[in-house]
Amino acid sequence: KSDLYFYDYNLSGLFVQENYLSSTPQAAKGNKIKTMELISKTAESLAEGDIIERGIRSGNNWSLLPTAAIFNSVLPGEYMSGFLHGQIQFPSWLGKNSRRGKMDRILQELQIHTRLSAGASKIAFNLDYSQPLRDHITRPLRDLGMEGVDLAVEHMEKYSLLREDLDGLIEVSQWPDRPDPLRGVESKTKAAFTRKYNKDHAMLPYSMVQAVKKKAKESVDGLDELEEEEETPDQEEEEDSVETDAMIKVKKPKAGAGGSKEKDASKGKGKGKGKGKGKQS
């Protein structure tokens, strides 16, 4: 039984944790109290196995893998040995962990963008600022319609938020089975809000960086996109140069001055050749 765990030790424990409640243990013989005791033992075994896996991942203690196999696979299988009364489910932890990483990334961006106005940590922003700030921006659009567009944009500028930050803010602060804050807002009001923000919003360093990245992605197709993602020293130098900085405007030389110099140079060369031919004759 322990050897089966090593076919894929990354997923075996997750499959057991996801599906052990769908098993009816034969050892209980239909006794509900005995069944609950076996479920409790299984849960304790999985919890101890999770502690062992944390030690393996954090400290690279791979010698503990046989011990993790006992607590994550062998003991739960022994306790819940019986028959399944449902379909085997894929571990939902993978999807939840991916969503957790996405939410953490959005919160990090919001915390950085609002640092000058709020000065809160990521946890404080999530617990104390996210929902009030969301309502502070979306309420004028819901209650006033087109007349509330200017006020909503003003609130966005006050907290140095991008237009994309509003979507992330709504996603982070939205609880399940709760109405969408923008559900009652008409599409023309949303469009007017986006146009107003793009027209009047203040210049922000991180907004310019995102704009440059979008233009670079649009100009490349196919495999070139993957090649541009790998940073090279030449690319870093180009990003630091004045010419590629979107926040700095570089004056271009006038075409007339350069053209007159080239014409004078070409005239001088032509005269030199003519003199030479005259001497040879």
Side-chain angles (χ1 to χ4, degrees):
K1 293 181 179 179
S2 178
D3 294 339
L4 296 175
Y5 176 80
F6 290 95
Y7 277 101
D8 193 343
Y9 56 83
N10 292 313
L11 291 177
S12 297
L14 295 177
F15 269 100
V16 174
Q17 192 273 335
E18 185 72 24
N19 296 281
Y20 78 95
L21 292 176
S22 299
S23 176
T24 301
Q26 289 183 344
K29 297 180 180 180
N31 189 341
K32 294 183 178 180
I33 297 177
K34 184 66 174 177
T35 300
M36 291 300 298
E37 291 177 354
L38 293 173
I39 291 175
S40 177
K41 290 181 179 180
T42 303
E44 291 178 0
S45 177
L46 291 172
E48 292 176 359
D50 186 62
I51 295 174
I52 295 171
E53 284 207 5
R54 180 181 291 272
I56 293 173
R57 307 291 178 178
S58 60
N60 289 328
N61 298 318
W62 298 104
S63 60
L64 294 175
L65 272 178
T67 307
I70 297 298
F71 285 98
N72 286 332
S73 180
V74 177
L75 289 179
E78 187 68 22
Y79 294 143
M80 301 300 293
S81 178
F83 60 90
L84 291 172
H85 52 79
Q87 184 179 1
I88 296 177
Q89 301 293 328
F90 194 80
S92 59
W93 178 88
L94 298 174
K96 292 179 180 179
N97 185 59
S98 177
R99 179 172 175 79
R100 183 200 63 81
K102 177 184 177 182
M103 294 299 175
D104 184 76
R105 184 174 64 256
I106 293 174
L107 280 173
Q108 183 69 32
E109 292 180 356
L110 290 172
Q111 187 263 337
I112 292 174
H113 294 174
T114 58
R115 186 184 295 271
L116 295 177
S117 302
S121 64
K122 183 169 62 175
I123 297 176
F125 183 88
N126 186 26
L127 296 177
D128 302 328
Y129 282 82
S130 59
Q131 293 189 14
L133 181 57
R134 179 201 65 186
D135 296 337
H136 191 54
I137 297 172
T138 58
R139 186 178 292 113
L141 299 176
R142 290 196 310 267
D143 299 343
L144 303 178
M146 295 291 292
E147 297 179 358
V149 169
D150 294 340
L151 186 58
V153 172
E154 181 181 348
H155 294 164
M156 291 277 290
E157 293 179 353
K158 182 179 180 181
Y159 288 91
S160 304
L161 293 176
L162 303 176
R163 177 60 182 88
E164 296 79 6
D165 289 336
L166 179 59
D167 299 331
L169 180 62
I170 293 175
E171 185 175 2
V172 167
S173 60
Q174 185 67 17
W175 288 88
D177 301 328
R178 298 290 296 174
D180 186 2
L182 296 178
R183 185 179 62 178
V185 180
E186 297 181 356
S187 57
K188 62 179 182 180
T189 304
K190 296 179 182 179
F193 169 74
T194 302
R195 289 194 301 268
K196 179 69 174 177
Y197 177 84
N198 293 335
K199 180 180 178 181
D200 298 344
H201 79 283
M203 192 71 68
L204 301 172
Y206 40 83
S207 65
M208 296 304 299
V209 170
Q210 289 186 358
V212 171
K213 288 183 178 179
K214 288 180 180 179
K215 291 180 181 178
K217 288 183 179 180
E218 291 175 357
S219 62
V220 179
D221 296 325
L223 297 177
D224 293 339
E225 293 181 355
L226 300 177
E227 295 177 358
E228 286 190 359
E229 290 179 359
E230 299 178 357
E231 293 186 356
T232 60
D234 297 337
Q235 290 176 345
E236 293 179 357
E237 292 178 0
E238 291 179 358
E239 291 178 357
D240 295 336
S241 65
V242 176
E243 296 178 355
T244 57
D245 195 337
M247 297 292 292
I248 301 175
K249 293 184 179 180
V250 181
K251 292 184 178 180
K252 297 181 179 180
K254 295 182 179 180
S260 60
K261 291 181 179 179
E262 292 178 358
K263 289 180 180 179
D264 295 339
S266 61
K267 289 180 180 179
K269 291 180 181 179
K271 291 180 180 179
K273 290 180 181 179
K275 293 178 179 180
K277 289 181 180 179
K279 290 180 180 179
Q280 289 178 0
S281 62

